[in-house]
Amino acid sequence: MHENAVQASFWQGSASGAARCGLCPHACVLPEGGVGLCRARRNVSGVLYAESYGEVSALALDPIEKKPLCRFKPGSLILSAGSRGCNFSCRFCQNWRISQAEPAVKFFRPEQLVDLALAKVKEGNIGLAYTYSEPAVWYEFVRDCALLAKEAGLDNVFVSNGYLNPGPLREIAPLLAAANIDLKSCADDFYRRMCGGRLAPVRESIKILAGFCHVEVTTLVIPGCNDSEDEIARIAAWLAEISPSIPLHVTRYYPNYRFSAPPAPKEKILRLKEVAEEFLSYVCAGNI
């Protein structure tokens, strides 16, 4: 176990020594010494630990539009931090070198990261974004940082796949100013085949977050998988049921990790943007 690990939140022990994680819908049952699907949580002597606590693999002062957020404090900058691990295994992962591999990391205590964010305010920084890898599996560190950051007057931004149980999400949501959630498809089969997850929990996360903070949604358009006009129309129509003011980013995929299909033509992305605009007030075309 890593020396900076802390006891995890949202888990249950058992007489056998196994630990059941309650953070995300996978509900991993970890035997002694076992690691969860996210590779960030480990059972040590019957106790579940958040092993990646404080581990930062990527850190940069980014434009808020890079998160991507198009309707939240446009033109501002935000200190963006990522760790390692993910509870999805997307074959097309755009950040696989930190989400699916073992990147080099530097340890930060929450107060150190928040102090750095405050020091960057003079450069235009508005807060902290938890991004690059999946912040849901970095939960304890994100929660601790977000609490300190909010107390210091900074904004917290959560960039996630949305695969988090309602209990943990409702605990952290009041600390967030904004979130961008990936809605990869409107088909559960896509999530099962391509991501190793399910659709329903992601949709529930979007609905929950919309009640707490500014929410935007990203759909990465992958040719032959989720690029039909019907698919984008169904995604946009579902979001409009929550609020037609939720911005949707229709974003062009590029070949990466285990998927080599060529990206969609720019014209296709612009056409899908038009389709989504039949339902939503704000639609952005990304990566074109």
Side-chain angles (χ1 to χ4, degrees):
M1 181 174 66
H2 297 188
E3 61 179 353
N4 297 310
V6 301
Q7 186 169 323
S9 302
F10 302 102
W11 66 281
Q12 292 180 326
S14 68
S16 69
R20 179 185 293 274
C21 183
L23 185 64
C24 89
H26 287 308
C28 294
V29 178
L30 286 64
E32 164 63 31
V35 178
L37 287 174
C38 64
R39 305 186 333 279
R41 310 172 89 72
R42 183 184 299 273
N43 178 348
V44 179
S45 301
V47 177
L48 191 64
Y49 283 88
E51 210 174 23
S52 63
Y53 188 93
E55 294 183 356
V56 175
S57 67
L59 187 64
L61 188 62
D62 285 338
I64 196 73
E65 289 81 5
K66 191 177 176 180
K67 297 307 95 192
L69 293 170
C70 65
R71 300 287 298 177
F72 180 77
K73 300 188 176 181
S76 60
L77 300 174
I78 190 160
L79 185 63
S80 302
S83 184
R84 61 177 177 85
C86 187
N87 52 1
F88 275 176
S89 54
C90 299
R91 294 169 55 194
F92 48 84
C93 183
Q94 306 288 285
N95 284 324
W96 67 271
R97 288 174 179 83
I98 61 173
S99 68
Q100 305 296 328
E102 294 296 331
V105 297
K106 181 179 179 181
F107 179 77
F108 282 80
R109 296 190 304 275
E111 56 269 25
Q112 289 177 310
L113 192 58
V114 173
D115 284 348
L116 180 59
L118 287 169
K120 296 284 185 182
V121 168
K122 61 181 179 293
E123 299 176 38
N125 179 42
I126 63 168
L128 276 170
Y130 312 96
T131 179
Y132 304 136
S133 61
E134 177 49 54
V137 305
W138 206 24
Y139 182 87
E140 291 79 6
F141 185 70
V142 171
R143 179 195 58 202
D144 293 350
C145 289
L147 180 59
L148 293 177
K150 186 171 184 178
E151 290 174 348
L154 297 171
D155 289 326
N156 290 297
V157 171
F158 196 67
V159 183
S160 171
N161 62 25
Y163 211 61
L164 190 62
N165 282 336
L169 185 59
R170 290 183 186 278
E171 181 177 294
I172 203 169
L175 304 176
L176 304 178
N180 185 296
I181 303 299
D182 287 342
L183 183 55
K184 301 173 189 291
S185 173
C186 61
D188 188 64
D189 178 66
F190 178 98
Y191 270 88
R192 292 178 184 272
R193 285 187 302 106
M194 301 289 288
C195 308
R198 293 178 289 120
L199 169 63
V202 178
R203 300 214 308 184
E204 181 65 17
S205 290
I206 293 170
K207 288 191 287 186
I208 289 172
L209 284 168
F212 285 94
C213 67
H214 175 85
V215 173
E216 303 193 14
V217 171
T218 295
T219 298
L220 189 70
V221 176
I222 305 168
C225 296
N226 65 349
D227 62 336
S228 70
E229 292 187 13
D230 178 68
E231 173 99 11
I232 298 304
R234 290 171 63 192
I235 288 172
W238 179 79
L239 289 173
E241 291 176 6
I242 302 172
S243 170
S245 296
I246 293 177
L248 174 64
H249 299 257
V250 181
T251 300
R252 191 184 190 195
Y253 135 101
Y254 283 95
N256 219 328
Y257 196 36
R258 297 174 176 170
F259 214 72
S260 57
K266 175 182 177 180
E267 295 73 21
K268 179 64 174 286
I269 301 298
L270 293 175
R271 171 56 190 152
L272 295 178
K273 177 179 182 289
E274 292 177 351
V275 169
E277 286 173 334
E278 296 177 15
F279 303 91
L280 297 170
S281 300
Y282 309 108
V283 183
C284 304
N287 284 352
I288 60 171

